[in-house]
Amino acid sequence: GYPGRIGIHAPFWDINLMARDPRVRTVVISRLLESVRFAEAIGATHMVAHSPFNFFGNPHLVHSPANGLDEEIAIVQETLAPVLPRLERMGGTLVIETIYDRHPRPLLSLVDAIDSDSVRLSLDVGHAYISHLQGGPTPDEWVREVGSLLAHVHLQDTDGHLDRHWPPGQGNVNWFALFEALAALDEMPRLIVEMRESSDIRPAVQWLS
């Protein structure tokens, strides 16, 4: 009886959109296609997949096209080539979730290279806050930088020491700044309250309201 929009999270244990080994990539493609079939069966219209990036440069090496980024993007394009047409036919959207990402730029380059209306970004607020303490932008700055490519947001709070998935208001995320940035977008992304405990969902929504 749920009347709202439905989405799914694609498998992520050992599933990397940037699998370099061709045989492993075959398994990843198979699991993604299986996920799309499942999404279609239940009427889901978005599918979350984790960011493929886990290297963001260091003082001696910039994460840039000259230092591996273009090759990584090409592998992701190859992985998604058989998946996106099926997703597009069902009117679904693949949203790539920020995980260890230090900065939006590589993800924006990835979405730009894929060049599909069915691929957008997902911001995990807790992940972004942890990365902010390591030198990255704040969650609200992520929203402003990503702009119209942001289609999905995981709302969860943290103290920045661990990926806590606390209800908003229990950690250090500046929720006022985040929602100010979200309100400036032309279209509000899907907002997903992502808690470790289901009993935290209703209080989290009430606090945000």
mmCIF file of all heavy atoms in Angstrom, residues 37-87:
data_model
loop_
_atom_site.group_PDB
_atom_site.id
_atom_site.type_symbol
_atom_site.label_atom_id
_atom_site.label_comp_id
_atom_site.label_asym_id
_atom_site.label_seq_id
_atom_site.Cartn_x
_atom_site.Cartn_y
_atom_site.Cartn_z
ATOM 1 N N ARG A 37 16.466 -5.731 -13.442
ATOM 2 C CA ARG A 37 15.274 -6.565 -13.604
ATOM 3 C C ARG A 37 14.422 -6.544 -12.343
ATOM 4 O O ARG A 37 13.190 -6.491 -12.403
ATOM 5 C CB ARG A 37 15.679 -8.001 -13.954
ATOM 6 C CG ARG A 37 16.243 -8.156 -15.364
ATOM 7 C CD ARG A 37 16.325 -9.611 -15.772
ATOM 8 N NE ARG A 37 17.275 -10.354 -14.965
ATOM 9 C CZ ARG A 37 18.563 -10.493 -15.253
ATOM 10 N NH1 ARG A 37 19.062 -9.902 -16.334
ATOM 11 N NH2 ARG A 37 19.362 -11.200 -14.478
ATOM 12 N N PHE A 38 15.073 -6.584 -11.189
ATOM 13 C CA PHE A 38 14.354 -6.524 -9.924
ATOM 14 C C PHE A 38 13.650 -5.176 -9.764
ATOM 15 O O PHE A 38 12.483 -5.102 -9.361
ATOM 16 C CB PHE A 38 15.321 -6.766 -8.762
ATOM 17 C CG PHE A 38 14.692 -6.618 -7.404
ATOM 18 C CD1 PHE A 38 13.794 -7.557 -6.939
ATOM 19 C CD2 PHE A 38 14.994 -5.528 -6.600
ATOM 20 C CE1 PHE A 38 13.203 -7.422 -5.690
ATOM 21 C CE2 PHE A 38 14.410 -5.381 -5.354
ATOM 22 C CZ PHE A 38 13.514 -6.335 -4.895
ATOM 23 N N ALA A 39 14.368 -4.097 -10.087
ATOM 24 C CA ALA A 39 13.774 -2.759 -10.001
ATOM 25 C C ALA A 39 12.540 -2.657 -10.883
ATOM 26 O O ALA A 39 11.499 -2.113 -10.475
ATOM 27 C CB ALA A 39 14.803 -1.705 -10.399
ATOM 28 N N GLU A 40 12.643 -3.193 -12.086
ATOM 29 C CA GLU A 40 11.516 -3.144 -13.015
ATOM 30 C C GLU A 40 10.329 -3.938 -12.467
ATOM 31 O O GLU A 40 9.179 -3.509 -12.563
ATOM 32 C CB GLU A 40 11.945 -3.696 -14.372
ATOM 33 C CG GLU A 40 10.935 -3.505 -15.466
ATOM 34 C CD GLU A 40 11.493 -3.870 -16.830
ATOM 35 O OE1 GLU A 40 12.474 -4.639 -16.893
ATOM 36 O OE2 GLU A 40 10.945 -3.377 -17.839
ATOM 37 N N ALA A 41 10.613 -5.080 -11.848
ATOM 38 C CA ALA A 41 9.555 -5.947 -11.339
ATOM 39 C C ALA A 41 8.754 -5.289 -10.223
ATOM 40 O O ALA A 41 7.547 -5.516 -10.091
ATOM 41 C CB ALA A 41 10.145 -7.268 -10.860
ATOM 42 N N ILE A 42 9.404 -4.457 -9.405
ATOM 43 C CA ILE A 42 8.697 -3.837 -8.266
ATOM 44 C C ILE A 42 8.306 -2.392 -8.538
ATOM 45 O O ILE A 42 7.772 -1.722 -7.665
ATOM 46 C CB ILE A 42 9.534 -3.922 -6.976
ATOM 47 C CG1 ILE A 42 10.798 -3.063 -7.070
ATOM 48 C CG2 ILE A 42 9.878 -5.370 -6.634
ATOM 49 C CD1 ILE A 42 11.516 -2.911 -5.741
ATOM 50 N N GLY A 43 8.584 -1.919 -9.754
ATOM 51 C CA GLY A 43 8.201 -0.556 -10.110
ATOM 52 C C GLY A 43 9.119 0.513 -9.561
ATOM 53 O O GLY A 43 8.706 1.666 -9.401
ATOM 54 N N ALA A 44 10.368 0.162 -9.277
ATOM 55 C CA ALA A 44 11.333 1.149 -8.784
ATOM 56 C C ALA A 44 11.787 2.045 -9.936
ATOM 57 O O ALA A 44 11.893 1.596 -11.072
ATOM 58 C CB ALA A 44 12.527 0.458 -8.150
ATOM 59 N N THR A 45 12.085 3.281 -9.610
ATOM 60 C CA THR A 45 12.504 4.225 -10.648
ATOM 61 C C THR A 45 13.884 4.823 -10.385
ATOM 62 O O THR A 45 14.330 5.685 -11.138
ATOM 63 C CB THR A 45 11.482 5.368 -10.795
ATOM 64 O OG1 THR A 45 11.222 5.951 -9.506
ATOM 65 C CG2 THR A 45 10.184 4.854 -11.395
ATOM 66 N N HIS A 46 14.555 4.410 -9.315
ATOM 67 C CA HIS A 46 15.966 4.767 -9.184
ATOM 68 C C HIS A 46 16.740 3.597 -8.597
ATOM 69 O O HIS A 46 16.184 2.778 -7.861
ATOM 70 C CB HIS A 46 16.168 6.047 -8.358
ATOM 71 C CG HIS A 46 16.112 5.854 -6.872
ATOM 72 N ND1 HIS A 46 15.032 6.213 -6.103
ATOM 73 C CD2 HIS A 46 17.018 5.350 -5.996
ATOM 74 C CE1 HIS A 46 15.262 5.934 -4.835
ATOM 75 N NE2 HIS A 46 16.465 5.411 -4.742
ATOM 76 N N MET A 47 17.995 3.513 -8.956
ATOM 77 C CA MET A 47 18.874 2.457 -8.467
ATOM 78 C C MET A 47 20.186 3.103 -8.014
ATOM 79 O O MET A 47 20.822 3.826 -8.778
ATOM 80 C CB MET A 47 19.141 1.412 -9.550
ATOM 81 C CG MET A 47 20.046 0.270 -9.085
ATOM 82 S SD MET A 47 20.135 -1.089 -10.271
ATOM 83 C CE MET A 47 21.353 -0.444 -11.431
ATOM 84 N N VAL A 48 20.577 2.852 -6.782
ATOM 85 C CA VAL A 48 21.802 3.405 -6.215
ATOM 86 C C VAL A 48 22.961 2.442 -6.476
ATOM 87 O O VAL A 48 22.834 1.240 -6.278
ATOM 88 C CB VAL A 48 21.659 3.632 -4.699
ATOM 89 C CG1 VAL A 48 22.942 4.224 -4.117
ATOM 90 C CG2 VAL A 48 20.472 4.523 -4.387
ATOM 91 N N ALA A 49 24.077 2.981 -6.908
ATOM 92 C CA ALA A 49 25.327 2.218 -7.017
ATOM 93 C C ALA A 49 26.434 3.053 -6.387
ATOM 94 O O ALA A 49 26.390 4.284 -6.427
ATOM 95 C CB ALA A 49 25.661 1.908 -8.471
ATOM 96 N N HIS A 50 27.416 2.379 -5.801
ATOM 97 C CA HIS A 50 28.495 3.095 -5.125
ATOM 98 C C HIS A 50 29.476 3.714 -6.112
ATOM 99 O O HIS A 50 29.738 3.157 -7.180
ATOM 100 C CB HIS A 50 29.253 2.150 -4.199
ATOM 101 C CG HIS A 50 28.547 1.898 -2.903
ATOM 102 N ND1 HIS A 50 29.086 1.141 -1.892
ATOM 103 C CD2 HIS A 50 27.338 2.320 -2.449
ATOM 104 C CE1 HIS A 50 28.243 1.111 -0.869
ATOM 105 N NE2 HIS A 50 27.175 1.812 -1.191
ATOM 106 N N SER A 51 30.031 4.846 -5.717
ATOM 107 C CA SER A 51 31.083 5.487 -6.500
ATOM 108 C C SER A 51 32.235 4.512 -6.736
ATOM 109 O O SER A 51 32.623 3.772 -5.828
ATOM 110 C CB SER A 51 31.610 6.714 -5.752
ATOM 111 O OG SER A 51 32.808 7.181 -6.342
ATOM 112 N N PRO A 52 32.796 4.507 -7.940
ATOM 113 C CA PRO A 52 33.906 3.597 -8.225
ATOM 114 C C PRO A 52 35.257 4.101 -7.730
ATOM 115 O O PRO A 52 36.243 3.361 -7.753
ATOM 116 C CB PRO A 52 33.906 3.533 -9.751
ATOM 117 C CG PRO A 52 33.415 4.887 -10.164
ATOM 118 C CD PRO A 52 32.387 5.269 -9.132
ATOM 119 N N PHE A 53 35.324 5.344 -7.274
ATOM 120 C CA PHE A 53 36.613 5.949 -6.986
ATOM 121 C C PHE A 53 37.050 5.724 -5.541
ATOM 122 O O PHE A 53 36.259 5.909 -4.612
ATOM 123 C CB PHE A 53 36.574 7.452 -7.265
ATOM 124 C CG PHE A 53 36.235 7.792 -8.687
ATOM 125 C CD1 PHE A 53 35.234 8.703 -8.977
ATOM 126 C CD2 PHE A 53 36.918 7.198 -9.731
ATOM 127 C CE1 PHE A 53 34.913 9.026 -10.284
ATOM 128 C CE2 PHE A 53 36.607 7.513 -11.048
ATOM 129 C CZ PHE A 53 35.603 8.420 -11.324
ATOM 130 N N ASN A 54 38.299 5.331 -5.369
ATOM 131 C CA ASN A 54 38.869 5.224 -4.015
ATOM 132 C C ASN A 54 40.259 5.852 -3.931
ATOM 133 O O ASN A 54 40.946 5.715 -2.929
ATOM 134 C CB ASN A 54 38.913 3.774 -3.537
ATOM 135 C CG ASN A 54 39.678 2.869 -4.476
ATOM 136 O OD1 ASN A 54 40.463 3.328 -5.296
ATOM 137 N ND2 ASN A 54 39.441 1.559 -4.378
ATOM 138 N N PHE A 55 40.661 6.532 -4.996
ATOM 139 C CA PHE A 55 41.924 7.274 -4.987
ATOM 140 C C PHE A 55 41.628 8.720 -5.346
ATOM 141 O O PHE A 55 40.930 8.996 -6.327
ATOM 142 C CB PHE A 55 42.912 6.700 -5.999
ATOM 143 C CG PHE A 55 44.137 7.566 -6.191
ATOM 144 C CD1 PHE A 55 45.127 7.604 -5.227
ATOM 145 C CD2 PHE A 55 44.287 8.354 -7.320
ATOM 146 C CE1 PHE A 55 46.247 8.424 -5.382
ATOM 147 C CE2 PHE A 55 45.400 9.163 -7.488
ATOM 148 C CZ PHE A 55 46.377 9.198 -6.514
ATOM 149 N N PHE A 56 42.128 9.657 -4.549
ATOM 150 C CA PHE A 56 41.808 11.061 -4.771
ATOM 151 C C PHE A 56 43.037 11.940 -4.793
ATOM 152 O O PHE A 56 42.971 13.132 -4.524
ATOM 153 C CB PHE A 56 40.813 11.536 -3.700
ATOM 154 C CG PHE A 56 39.634 10.629 -3.635
ATOM 155 C CD1 PHE A 56 39.513 9.707 -2.619
ATOM 156 C CD2 PHE A 56 38.677 10.650 -4.631
ATOM 157 C CE1 PHE A 56 38.445 8.827 -2.588
ATOM 158 C CE2 PHE A 56 37.604 9.775 -4.604
ATOM 159 C CZ PHE A 56 37.492 8.865 -3.579
ATOM 160 N N GLY A 57 44.174 11.314 -5.109
ATOM 161 C CA GLY A 57 45.386 12.080 -5.209
ATOM 162 C C GLY A 57 46.094 12.236 -3.871
ATOM 163 O O GLY A 57 45.594 11.828 -2.817
ATOM 164 N N ASN A 58 47.290 12.769 -3.937
ATOM 165 C CA ASN A 58 48.092 13.049 -2.751
ATOM 166 C C ASN A 58 49.004 14.212 -3.106
ATOM 167 O O ASN A 58 48.966 14.713 -4.234
ATOM 168 C CB ASN A 58 48.877 11.796 -2.314
ATOM 169 C CG ASN A 58 49.768 11.259 -3.418
ATOM 170 O OD1 ASN A 58 50.567 11.982 -4.000
ATOM 171 N ND2 ASN A 58 49.645 9.957 -3.715
ATOM 172 N N PRO A 59 49.808 14.699 -2.168
ATOM 173 C CA PRO A 59 50.644 15.866 -2.488
ATOM 174 C C PRO A 59 51.593 15.663 -3.670
ATOM 175 O O PRO A 59 52.091 16.640 -4.238
ATOM 176 C CB PRO A 59 51.419 16.100 -1.187
ATOM 177 C CG PRO A 59 50.513 15.579 -0.125
ATOM 178 C CD PRO A 59 49.864 14.371 -0.726
ATOM 179 N N HIS A 60 51.817 14.394 -4.044
ATOM 180 C CA HIS A 60 52.757 14.125 -5.142
ATOM 181 C C HIS A 60 52.061 13.728 -6.442
ATOM 182 O O HIS A 60 52.690 13.687 -7.490
ATOM 183 C CB HIS A 60 53.723 13.011 -4.737
ATOM 184 C CG HIS A 60 54.506 13.319 -3.507
ATOM 185 N ND1 HIS A 60 55.570 14.199 -3.498
ATOM 186 C CD2 HIS A 60 54.360 12.888 -2.233
ATOM 187 C CE1 HIS A 60 56.049 14.280 -2.263
ATOM 188 N NE2 HIS A 60 55.332 13.501 -1.480
ATOM 189 N N LEU A 61 50.763 13.412 -6.363
ATOM 190 C CA LEU A 61 50.074 12.890 -7.541
ATOM 191 C C LEU A 61 48.613 13.332 -7.512
ATOM 192 O O LEU A 61 47.879 13.002 -6.583
ATOM 193 C CB LEU A 61 50.148 11.357 -7.546
ATOM 194 C CG LEU A 61 49.691 10.643 -8.819
ATOM 195 C CD1 LEU A 61 50.635 10.970 -9.975
ATOM 196 C CD2 LEU A 61 49.655 9.133 -8.590
ATOM 197 N N VAL A 62 48.191 14.059 -8.526
ATOM 198 C CA VAL A 62 46.823 14.562 -8.600
ATOM 199 C C VAL A 62 45.933 13.513 -9.264
ATOM 200 O O VAL A 62 46.336 12.868 -10.234
ATOM 201 C CB VAL A 62 46.782 15.877 -9.406
ATOM 202 C CG1 VAL A 62 45.345 16.379 -9.550
ATOM 203 C CG2 VAL A 62 47.649 16.928 -8.746
ATOM 204 N N HIS A 63 44.721 13.331 -8.740
ATOM 205 C CA HIS A 63 43.750 12.444 -9.382
ATOM 206 C C HIS A 63 43.154 13.189 -10.570
ATOM 207 O O HIS A 63 42.194 13.935 -10.444
ATOM 208 C CB HIS A 63 42.659 12.061 -8.380
ATOM 209 C CG HIS A 63 41.719 11.014 -8.900
ATOM 210 N ND1 HIS A 63 40.389 10.983 -8.586
ATOM 211 C CD2 HIS A 63 41.928 9.955 -9.707
ATOM 212 C CE1 HIS A 63 39.808 9.953 -9.166
ATOM 213 N NE2 HIS A 63 40.728 9.311 -9.858
ATOM 214 N N SER A 64 43.747 12.978 -11.729
ATOM 215 C CA SER A 64 43.404 13.765 -12.904
ATOM 216 C C SER A 64 43.410 12.863 -14.135
ATOM 217 O O SER A 64 43.852 11.703 -14.069
ATOM 218 C CB SER A 64 44.435 14.893 -13.093
ATOM 219 O OG SER A 64 45.694 14.341 -13.404
ATOM 220 N N PRO A 65 42.941 13.363 -15.286
ATOM 221 C CA PRO A 65 42.979 12.544 -16.501
ATOM 222 C C PRO A 65 44.370 12.011 -16.826
ATOM 223 O O PRO A 65 44.514 10.899 -17.333
ATOM 224 C CB PRO A 65 42.484 13.519 -17.583
ATOM 225 C CG PRO A 65 41.584 14.448 -16.845
ATOM 226 C CD PRO A 65 42.226 14.632 -15.496
ATOM 227 N N ALA A 66 45.401 12.793 -16.541
ATOM 228 C CA ALA A 66 46.764 12.356 -16.848
ATOM 229 C C ALA A 66 47.257 11.270 -15.900
ATOM 230 O O ALA A 66 48.221 10.569 -16.206
ATOM 231 C CB ALA A 66 47.715 13.549 -16.802
ATOM 232 N N ASN A 67 46.596 11.140 -14.759
ATOM 233 C CA ASN A 67 47.057 10.174 -13.753
ATOM 234 C C ASN A 67 45.987 9.126 -13.436
ATOM 235 O O ASN A 67 45.742 8.801 -12.285
ATOM 236 C CB ASN A 67 47.453 10.909 -12.468
ATOM 237 C CG ASN A 67 48.702 11.743 -12.649
ATOM 238 O OD1 ASN A 67 49.670 11.294 -13.263
ATOM 239 N ND2 ASN A 67 48.687 12.967 -12.148
ATOM 240 N N GLY A 68 45.346 8.613 -14.482
ATOM 241 C CA GLY A 68 44.487 7.448 -14.297
ATOM 242 C C GLY A 68 42.994 7.704 -14.357
ATOM 243 O O GLY A 68 42.223 6.754 -14.539
ATOM 244 N N LEU A 69 42.539 8.944 -14.207
ATOM 245 C CA LEU A 69 41.102 9.200 -14.149
ATOM 246 C C LEU A 69 40.413 8.821 -15.460
ATOM 247 O O LEU A 69 39.337 8.202 -15.441
ATOM 248 C CB LEU A 69 40.822 10.663 -13.802
ATOM 249 C CG LEU A 69 39.349 11.065 -13.701
ATOM 250 C CD1 LEU A 69 38.629 10.233 -12.649
ATOM 251 C CD2 LEU A 69 39.219 12.550 -13.389
ATOM 252 N N ASP A 70 41.015 9.166 -16.593
ATOM 253 C CA ASP A 70 40.389 8.838 -17.881
ATOM 254 C C ASP A 70 40.251 7.329 -18.056
ATOM 255 O O ASP A 70 39.229 6.839 -18.559
ATOM 256 C CB ASP A 70 41.212 9.421 -19.035
ATOM 257 C CG ASP A 70 40.910 10.898 -19.268
ATOM 258 O OD1 ASP A 70 39.980 11.424 -18.621
ATOM 259 O OD2 ASP A 70 41.612 11.518 -20.087
ATOM 260 N N GLU A 71 41.270 6.583 -17.678
ATOM 261 C CA GLU A 71 41.213 5.115 -17.778
ATOM 262 C C GLU A 71 40.101 4.569 -16.877
ATOM 263 O O GLU A 71 39.340 3.683 -17.268
ATOM 264 C CB GLU A 71 42.555 4.507 -17.372
ATOM 265 C CG GLU A 71 42.563 2.990 -17.423
ATOM 266 C CD GLU A 71 43.808 2.384 -16.794
ATOM 267 O OE1 GLU A 71 44.662 3.146 -16.296
ATOM 268 O OE2 GLU A 71 43.907 1.149 -16.769
ATOM 269 N N GLU A 72 39.977 5.106 -15.665
ATOM 270 C CA GLU A 72 38.952 4.648 -14.738
ATOM 271 C C GLU A 72 37.559 4.923 -15.299
ATOM 272 O O GLU A 72 36.661 4.069 -15.226
ATOM 273 C CB GLU A 72 39.132 5.349 -13.391
ATOM 274 C CG GLU A 72 40.424 4.962 -12.681
ATOM 275 C CD GLU A 72 40.747 5.877 -11.508
ATOM 276 O OE1 GLU A 72 39.960 6.822 -11.264
ATOM 277 O OE2 GLU A 72 41.763 5.646 -10.841
ATOM 278 N N ILE A 73 37.378 6.103 -15.869
ATOM 279 C CA ILE A 73 36.081 6.458 -16.443
ATOM 280 C C ILE A 73 35.741 5.524 -17.605
ATOM 281 O O ILE A 73 34.590 5.083 -17.747
ATOM 282 C CB ILE A 73 36.081 7.928 -16.886
ATOM 283 C CG1 ILE A 73 36.067 8.847 -15.654
ATOM 284 C CG2 ILE A 73 34.894 8.238 -17.797
ATOM 285 C CD1 ILE A 73 36.210 10.323 -15.973
ATOM 286 N N ALA A 74 36.728 5.186 -18.425
ATOM 287 C CA ALA A 74 36.493 4.293 -19.564
ATOM 288 C C ALA A 74 36.036 2.912 -19.089
ATOM 289 O O ALA A 74 35.163 2.282 -19.714
ATOM 290 C CB ALA A 74 37.764 4.173 -20.413
ATOM 291 N N ILE A 75 36.610 2.430 -18.000
ATOM 292 C CA ILE A 75 36.206 1.120 -17.464
ATOM 293 C C ILE A 75 34.762 1.170 -16.976
ATOM 294 O O ILE A 75 33.966 0.253 -17.223
ATOM 295 C CB ILE A 75 37.155 0.689 -16.333
ATOM 296 C CG1 ILE A 75 38.551 0.403 -16.893
ATOM 297 C CG2 ILE A 75 36.616 -0.553 -15.608
ATOM 298 C CD1 ILE A 75 39.611 0.180 -15.822
ATOM 299 N N VAL A 76 34.395 2.238 -16.295
ATOM 300 C CA VAL A 76 33.014 2.377 -15.815
ATOM 301 C C VAL A 76 32.048 2.447 -17.003
ATOM 302 O O VAL A 76 30.973 1.831 -16.986
ATOM 303 C CB VAL A 76 32.863 3.620 -14.921
ATOM 304 C CG1 VAL A 76 31.408 3.792 -14.499
ATOM 305 C CG2 VAL A 76 33.752 3.506 -13.692
ATOM 306 N N GLN A 77 32.431 3.174 -18.045
ATOM 307 C CA GLN A 77 31.583 3.255 -19.238
ATOM 308 C C GLN A 77 31.368 1.870 -19.846
ATOM 309 O O GLN A 77 30.254 1.520 -20.252
ATOM 310 C CB GLN A 77 32.217 4.184 -20.273
ATOM 311 C CG GLN A 77 32.155 5.659 -19.911
ATOM 312 C CD GLN A 77 32.845 6.525 -20.929
ATOM 313 O OE1 GLN A 77 34.068 6.437 -21.105
ATOM 314 N NE2 GLN A 77 32.092 7.371 -21.617
ATOM 315 N N GLU A 78 32.424 1.065 -19.887
ATOM 316 C CA GLU A 78 32.310 -0.291 -20.428
ATOM 317 C C GLU A 78 31.393 -1.146 -19.552
ATOM 318 O O GLU A 78 30.598 -1.947 -20.057
ATOM 319 C CB GLU A 78 33.697 -0.927 -20.533
ATOM 320 C CG GLU A 78 33.692 -2.292 -21.194
ATOM 321 C CD GLU A 78 35.098 -2.840 -21.413
ATOM 322 O OE1 GLU A 78 36.044 -2.047 -21.423
ATOM 323 O OE2 GLU A 78 35.227 -4.068 -21.570
ATOM 324 N N THR A 79 31.503 -0.973 -18.241
ATOM 325 C CA THR A 79 30.666 -1.740 -17.319
ATOM 326 C C THR A 79 29.195 -1.391 -17.490
ATOM 327 O O THR A 79 28.320 -2.267 -17.466
ATOM 328 C CB THR A 79 31.096 -1.467 -15.861
ATOM 329 O OG1 THR A 79 32.475 -1.812 -15.698
ATOM 330 C CG2 THR A 79 30.251 -2.263 -14.878
ATOM 331 N N LEU A 80 28.905 -0.123 -17.662
ATOM 332 C CA LEU A 80 27.515 0.325 -17.719
ATOM 333 C C LEU A 80 26.899 0.227 -19.106
ATOM 334 O O LEU A 80 25.673 0.361 -19.249
ATOM 335 C CB LEU A 80 27.420 1.767 -17.220
ATOM 336 C CG LEU A 80 27.731 1.998 -15.736
ATOM 337 C CD1 LEU A 80 27.629 3.478 -15.396
ATOM 338 C CD2 LEU A 80 26.787 1.189 -14.846
ATOM 339 N N ALA A 81 27.711 -0.030 -20.128
ATOM 340 C CA ALA A 81 27.206 -0.041 -21.506
ATOM 341 C C ALA A 81 26.010 -0.977 -21.705
ATOM 342 O O ALA A 81 25.024 -0.601 -22.349
ATOM 343 C CB ALA A 81 28.331 -0.373 -22.481
ATOM 344 N N PRO A 82 26.023 -2.210 -21.163
ATOM 345 C CA PRO A 82 24.848 -3.078 -21.342
ATOM 346 C C PRO A 82 23.738 -2.824 -20.325
ATOM 347 O O PRO A 82 22.631 -3.348 -20.478
ATOM 348 C CB PRO A 82 25.429 -4.487 -21.168
ATOM 349 C CG PRO A 82 26.636 -4.315 -20.331
ATOM 350 C CD PRO A 82 27.165 -2.932 -20.569
ATOM 351 N N VAL A 83 24.026 -2.029 -19.302
ATOM 352 C CA VAL A 83 23.069 -1.826 -18.209
ATOM 353 C C VAL A 83 22.169 -0.627 -18.473
ATOM 354 O O VAL A 83 20.942 -0.687 -18.276
ATOM 355 C CB VAL A 83 23.824 -1.637 -16.870
ATOM 356 C CG1 VAL A 83 22.847 -1.367 -15.727
ATOM 357 C CG2 VAL A 83 24.688 -2.856 -16.564
ATOM 358 N N LEU A 84 22.750 0.473 -18.922
ATOM 359 C CA LEU A 84 21.986 1.712 -19.060
ATOM 360 C C LEU A 84 20.827 1.628 -20.056
ATOM 361 O O LEU A 84 19.749 2.175 -19.776
ATOM 362 C CB LEU A 84 22.919 2.864 -19.419
ATOM 363 C CG LEU A 84 23.868 3.321 -18.307
ATOM 364 C CD1 LEU A 84 24.725 4.485 -18.786
ATOM 365 C CD2 LEU A 84 23.093 3.712 -17.051
ATOM 366 N N PRO A 85 20.980 0.962 -21.211
ATOM 367 C CA PRO A 85 19.830 0.884 -22.127
ATOM 368 C C PRO A 85 18.609 0.233 -21.479
ATOM 369 O O PRO A 85 17.478 0.681 -21.689
ATOM 370 C CB PRO A 85 20.365 0.037 -23.291
ATOM 371 C CG PRO A 85 21.841 0.277 -23.279
ATOM 372 C CD PRO A 85 22.195 0.387 -21.822
ATOM 373 N N ARG A 86 18.836 -0.799 -20.692
ATOM 374 C CA ARG A 86 17.718 -1.462 -19.998
ATOM 375 C C ARG A 86 17.087 -0.512 -18.972
ATOM 376 O O ARG A 86 15.861 -0.441 -18.839
ATOM 377 C CB ARG A 86 18.242 -2.735 -19.324
ATOM 378 C CG ARG A 86 17.197 -3.539 -18.565
ATOM 379 C CD ARG A 86 16.215 -4.219 -19.506
ATOM 380 N NE ARG A 86 15.234 -5.004 -18.781
ATOM 381 C CZ ARG A 86 15.343 -6.307 -18.541
ATOM 382 N NH1 ARG A 86 16.405 -6.979 -18.974
ATOM 383 N NH2 ARG A 86 14.393 -6.963 -17.902
ATOM 384 N N LEU A 87 17.930 0.218 -18.274
ATOM 385 C CA LEU A 87 17.439 1.170 -17.278
ATOM 386 C C LEU A 87 16.669 2.302 -17.954
ATOM 387 O O LEU A 87 15.615 2.742 -17.465
ATOM 388 C CB LEU A 87 18.620 1.720 -16.477
ATOM 389 C CG LEU A 87 18.326 2.425 -15.158
ATOM 390 C CD1 LEU A 87 17.683 1.466 -14.170
ATOM 391 C CD2 LEU A 87 19.604 2.996 -14.563
#
